[in-house]
Every structure is written in structure tokens, then in C-alpha cells.
Amino acid sequence: MDTMTLWHITGWEFAALAFAALLVGFSKTAVSGANTVSLAIFAAVLPARASTGVLLPVLIAGDVLAVLTYRRHAHWPTLWRLFPAVAAGVVVGTLFLVWADDQVVRTSIGVILLLMAGVTVWRRRAAGAPAEEPDSVTGGAGRIKARSYGVLGGFTTMVANAGGPVMSMYLLSAGFRKLGFLGTSAFFFLIVNVSKVPFSAGLGLIDGRSLLLDAALVAFVVPGALIGKWAVSRINQRLFEQLVIAATVLGGLQLLLR
């Protein structure tokens, strides 16, 4: 029995999922947060909860490609500071999924994303141009901000694979430049998404059927990543930041308006 028969999806629906997978590859190597469109497509074609389990391995494939592309640009002090808070957020998100329905999940994350985008724009206008290095992640205020964003990132990535926009807002607010942003987020999401697999499997979101569909979709992640790698060198820093913020706002709005 083929994959489309297992999921009862049409050829057009599979084409939509393939496009979403391509967009995942592009977002991982070019504009982080752009895969919020992928979240919407997966949730529209597949059952909402099941879509998160199908999407997770596709995201991991994109993370691997991003790490191979930008591994030299990761800022590890930031990563080590974030991981404990993210782990707490993943646990909270897992518990939240036990009782929350789709509407509560979508509304909660949509509000969080819009608030993060608004705060980030306000802070960047007040502070002026970002620094060349992510100095603002150090010190007491930096640690508090890292913990806050880390918990929110872990929570949103567990309940809806929507942690990308939250962490994008954190990295922008911390003053990361383009390549440092992409390298740090690549390692961050590879580690976090892999750590989510046991939780998702335990919730029944990943099973043989979902992995079979993933096997058909992962091939589309590769050309998306190649397009992203080609495009990122042609996007200046200011446009890069504007695109990331715009993608975050779009993701928040589509979650609230669905």
C-alpha cells in the first residue's frame, strides 16, 4: 500500500506537502521562520496533531543540512545558556499537549509569536544598530532573557514545531549577524528537534505511517536547502532581519486566524 493511500491524501495534497518540505529546506539555510507556512500547510492537509509528528523528521533533515552548511558560525556560549531552559519548555509543552485542544494551542502560540515580534522591533529601534558580536547574551539581564526565550522556544517547538520564530526573535534581539544567526540556530534546532523525538513518539505522533510519508517528503528538503544557500549570500543584513520578523508575524497571524 503506498503512502498516499495510507494517509488518504490526493496527488494535489501530496504536492502541497512536497512544497512545504522544500520551504523547510529553504528556511533552514536562508530565512529562519519562513517555515511557518510549512506548519500551516501540514496542518491543513493532515490532522492537526498528527501533522506535528510528520513534520518533525522533515525539520530534522533540514537541520542536518543547515549544520553542514553553517557549522563554523555557531556561537556555542549562547547554545549552552539556552538548552536547560529549552528542556524545561519541552517538558511543559509535552504536558500541555496532553490536555490542550488544537484551538488552544494555536491561539497560545500565535499570541506569543506576535508579542515576541513586537518586543523585538521595539528593542531594536530603541537600541539602534546591532553589535557585530552577540554581547547582549552575557550578564544578568542576558541570562534572564535567554531563560525566558528558551522556555518559550521549548514550549512552542514541542506543541507545534513553532519554536523557530521565537528563537529567531531571541537571536535578533541579541545582536547576531546573518551567518552567526544561521549557524547558531542550525545547531540549536538539530539538537532540540532530535531530543523531541521520544516525546512525540510517546504521544503517538510518530509511527510507521508518519515515517513512511516522511521518507517520501525528505527528498524535497534538499533542493530547498540549496536554494536557500544560494539566496542567503544575496540578502543583505537589514533585509535578512526584516524577512525574519515578517515571517514571524505571518506565522503568528495564521495561527490566530485559522
Side-chain angles (χ1 to χ4, degrees):
M1 186 178 295
D2 62 30
T3 302
M4 289 192 288
T5 301
L6 281 170
W7 280 99
H8 305 290
I9 59 177
T10 67
W12 284 109
E13 288 173 332
F14 181 81
L17 293 176
F19 173 75
L22 185 144
L23 193 55
V24 165
F26 176 82
S27 72
K28 294 294 184 178
T29 56
V31 181
S32 180
N35 65 358
T36 53
V37 178
S38 301
L39 303 180
I41 293 173
F42 269 73
V45 174
L46 303 172
R49 285 173 61 87
S51 70
T52 63
V54 176
L55 182 57
L56 182 57
V58 175
L59 293 173
I60 292 173
D63 293 328
V64 171
L65 294 172
V67 164
L68 292 175
T69 304
Y70 301 116
R71 60 189 178 278
R72 292 179 294 177
H73 302 285
H75 190 257
W76 282 97
T78 296
L79 291 170
W80 291 123
R81 188 172 291 110
L82 284 169
F83 284 142
V86 172
V90 168
V91 172
V92 173
T94 302
L95 297 175
F96 184 69
L97 278 175
V98 171
W99 66 268
D101 61 23
D102 289 340
Q103 184 59 46
V104 172
V105 169
R106 286 195 298 267
T107 301
S108 300
I109 295 176
V111 170
I112 289 171
L113 296 187
L114 292 178
L115 286 175
M116 293 297 101
V119 169
T120 298
V121 171
W122 176 76
R123 283 180 174 174
R124 291 177 68 76
R125 287 183 176 177
E132 289 297 317
E133 295 294 333
D135 294 328
S136 61
V137 301
T138 61
R143 285 191 291 271
I144 292 173
K145 182 166 68 172
R147 289 166 185 165
S148 300
Y149 276 85
V151 171
L152 286 174
F155 175 82
T156 53
T157 195
M158 185 64 225
V159 300
N161 290 316
V166 173
M167 298 317 301
S168 294
M169 294 300 96
Y170 172 69
L171 295 176
L172 285 184
S173 71
F176 277 82
R177 307 298 288 178
K178 184 169 58 176
L179 292 179
F181 178 109
L182 290 167
T184 304
S185 62
F187 274 100
F188 175 84
F189 281 108
L190 176 61
I191 294 170
V192 170
N193 283 334
V194 169
S195 72
K196 285 161 51 182
V197 171
F199 294 93
S200 295
L203 290 169
L205 302 177
I206 294 178
D207 57 19
R209 290 199 311 162
S210 69
L211 292 175
L212 183 59
L213 183 55
D214 286 324
L217 292 174
V218 164
F220 296 94
V221 178
V222 177
L226 294 175
I227 294 171
K229 182 179 179 181
W230 172 85
V232 76
S233 62
R234 291 161 174 80
I235 302 174
N236 63 37
Q237 180 68 27
R238 183 175 178 80
L239 177 59
F240 175 80
E241 295 171 2
Q242 291 171 341
L243 289 172
V244 170
I245 292 172
T248 301
V249 172
L250 177 63
L253 289 175
Q254 68 91 12
L255 285 168
L256 286 176
L257 298 176
R258 281 183 53 199

